[in-house]
Amino acid sequence: MQRIRLRYTKRGRLRFTSHRDFQRAFERALRRAEVPMAYSAGFTPHPKVSYANAAPTGTGSEAEYLEIALTAHRDPERLRALLDESLPDGLDIVDAVEAHTSGLADRLTASVWELRLTGQDPAEAEKAVAAFNAAESVEVQRTTKNGVRTFDARPAVVQLETQSETADRPTDQPCAILRLVVRHVTPAVRPDDVLSGLRAVADLAPPVPAAVTRLAQGLLDEETGTVTDPLAPDREAAEALSKAEPTAAATAPA
């Protein structure tokens, strides 16, 4: 059985698709691309697809991950192209590697997010970010199916900073851009929780909802605060195997 790990995106209007909607679209793409999927046992077999830490509905993402199990060997790049062609624009398969290591989900320990606050004065946002970073705790509330839950969002935030806008905007409306690095903890601290925290500590209230995009997720380097590529160990293992094969062939008895 071959395992393939894929990175996919949610762009444009398709950021509003739910995770269940994506699952349906992806399973249709598997059938269209005639992927030789492995199936679970039991009365209702389903394709073996493992999803890891999906982004909330309404947020864009450049770094969503899943793993599929196949009954026949396929070239990862060819498989990626076939699946990408079978999905709507915005749900794009952008990377594929054969799994040579275990624990993909264990390597998704942090995310990098971009929060675009259209209509928000950047100077006010910078002051609010400074107040958030200086706070020892930032209590926020979230409504759950069991009622309102209060928790401290500050410990999960590794980095929060404002960034300058590089591209020209179509209007003269101000826009503040925040970059957020957050650990994956329980309860999960999401970008909207950090926005609630900014409102709590500095009364920051953007006039329109923030446009939120996950830029990366992977293993957090605690020393540098960077988030590493979770597929890199599989690529390195594949490269090591490809180098070892010619050596093994050369040393095999004639």
Short mmCIF file of all heavy atoms in Angstrom, two decimals, residues 116 165-171:
data_model
loop_
_atom_site.label_atom_id
_atom_site.label_comp_id
_atom_site.label_asym_id
_atom_site.label_seq_id
_atom_site.Cartn_x
_atom_site.Cartn_y
_atom_site.Cartn_z
N ARG A 116 -5.87 40.60 7.29
CA ARG A 116 -5.99 41.88 6.60
C ARG A 116 -7.21 42.62 7.15
O ARG A 116 -8.34 42.15 7.00
CB ARG A 116 -6.11 41.69 5.10
CG ARG A 116 -4.89 41.02 4.47
CD ARG A 116 -5.04 40.88 2.97
NE ARG A 116 -5.05 42.17 2.31
CZ ARG A 116 -3.95 42.79 1.87
NH1 ARG A 116 -2.76 42.22 2.03
NH2 ARG A 116 -4.03 43.95 1.28
N GLU A 165 2.20 46.98 3.77
CA GLU A 165 1.57 46.48 2.56
C GLU A 165 2.45 46.80 1.37
O GLU A 165 2.86 47.94 1.17
CB GLU A 165 0.18 47.10 2.38
CG GLU A 165 -0.61 46.47 1.26
CD GLU A 165 -2.06 46.91 1.28
OE1 GLU A 165 -2.34 47.96 1.87
OE2 GLU A 165 -2.90 46.21 0.71
N THR A 166 2.77 45.78 0.58
CA THR A 166 3.68 45.96 -0.56
C THR A 166 2.94 46.24 -1.86
O THR A 166 3.41 46.98 -2.70
CB THR A 166 4.57 44.72 -0.73
OG1 THR A 166 3.74 43.56 -0.87
CG2 THR A 166 5.46 44.53 0.48
N ALA A 167 1.77 45.61 -2.04
CA ALA A 167 1.03 45.79 -3.30
C ALA A 167 0.16 47.03 -3.24
O ALA A 167 -0.33 47.44 -2.17
CB ALA A 167 0.18 44.56 -3.58
N ASP A 168 -0.05 47.63 -4.40
CA ASP A 168 -0.94 48.80 -4.48
C ASP A 168 -2.39 48.36 -4.26
O ASP A 168 -2.82 47.34 -4.78
CB ASP A 168 -0.81 49.46 -5.85
CG ASP A 168 0.55 50.10 -6.04
OD1 ASP A 168 1.17 50.45 -5.03
OD2 ASP A 168 0.98 50.24 -7.20
N ARG A 169 -3.13 49.16 -3.49
CA ARG A 169 -4.53 48.86 -3.26
C ARG A 169 -5.39 49.64 -4.24
O ARG A 169 -5.03 50.74 -4.64
CB ARG A 169 -4.91 49.21 -1.81
CG ARG A 169 -4.38 48.19 -0.81
CD ARG A 169 -4.82 48.54 0.61
NE ARG A 169 -3.99 49.60 1.18
CZ ARG A 169 -4.39 50.85 1.37
NH1 ARG A 169 -5.60 51.21 1.07
NH2 ARG A 169 -3.58 51.74 1.89
N PRO A 170 -6.56 49.09 -4.62
CA PRO A 170 -7.40 49.78 -5.59
C PRO A 170 -8.03 51.07 -5.05
O PRO A 170 -8.48 51.89 -5.82
CB PRO A 170 -8.49 48.75 -5.92
CG PRO A 170 -8.52 47.83 -4.72
CD PRO A 170 -7.11 47.80 -4.22
N THR A 171 -8.09 51.24 -3.75
CA THR A 171 -8.68 52.45 -3.17
C THR A 171 -7.70 53.04 -2.16
O THR A 171 -6.67 52.45 -1.83
CB THR A 171 -10.01 52.15 -2.47
OG1 THR A 171 -9.75 51.35 -1.29
CG2 THR A 171 -10.95 51.36 -3.39
#
